[in-house]
Amino acid sequence: MSTAPLTIRPMQLADVDAVAALNLAATAYPWSPGQFIDSLQSHDCHLLVAGEQLLGFMVLQHSCGESCLLNIAIHPDFHQRGYAHFLLSQGLQRCIGANSSQCYLEVRASNTAAIALYFKTGFEEVGLRKNYYPAVQGREHAKIMIKKLPGSAGDKT
Ligand SMILES: CC(C)(COP(=O)(O)OP(=O)(O)OC[C@H]1O[C@@H](n2cnc3c(N)ncnc32)[C@H](O)[C@@H]1OP(=O)(O)O)[C@@H](O)C(=O)NCCC(=O)NCCS
């Protein structure tokens, strides 16, 4: 990999093919290019890069005083180096900047890597949507997780 410093920059339309390819490589349940294009119009979309190397992406939604992590992935060649934790931590700062009192997310109950990432980043599990996601076989539950943000009533930091 390039020795260029890690940078977070806004996702642009020209990035969508590379981002969709990364997402396809990272998960069995990727977003389509069209979903990223739609997100560019209405959500807060950022990339983690090292020079020209795309390492990962994050899509946040800020609305009505709260934020939602809609998607995050790191290219599998660069897993378990702390990149998702770094990207998500920066994303939470963006949520605070958007005056959100909390950030919530939904995650497949089978996605142990992501769930561990969210616990490490300070999210708590607050609910379960049964049979929420289509799965390779049948359906699977979604865990709902929330992190209270500094300044909010439920903040524990
Ligand atoms: C989930 C994902 C983003 C984590 O990215 P990553 O850069 O490898 O994660 P990090 O290196 O920042 O790890 C941070 C923490 O997450 C947890 N974690 C990450 N990968 C893990 C794994 N394979 N198994 C268990 N825990 C894991 C650990 O708690 C880790 O902290 P530690 O290194 O102190 O143990 C990555 O696996 C991915 O892109 N998955 C596919 C897309 C996806 O599922 N996105 C979530 C949609 S809800």
Side-chain angles (χ1 to χ4, degrees), residues 38-106:
D38 289 347
S39 277
L40 277 173
Q41 290 168 13
S42 44
H43 301 138
D44 184 21
C45 307
H46 280 79
L47 306 181
L48 179 66
V49 299
E52 295 296 308
Q53 176 76 59
L54 174 62
L55 302 175
F57 70 85
M58 165 181 66
V59 179
L60 291 160
Q61 180 180 43
H62 311 293
S63 174
C64 302
E66 63 179 19
S67 296
C68 179
L69 177 66
L70 296 175
N71 202 351
I72 186 170
I74 299 295
H75 191 286
D77 288 351
F78 304 108
H79 280 178
Q80 295 188 276
R81 300 186 191 190
Y83 290 152
H85 185 254
F86 173 71
L87 182 59
L88 182 53
S89 298
Q90 296 299 309
L92 291 170
Q93 292 302 313
R94 295 191 63 76
C95 299
I96 293 167
N99 293 318
S100 292
S101 62
Q102 62 181 17
C103 181
Y104 69 96
L105 59 87
E106 288 155 356

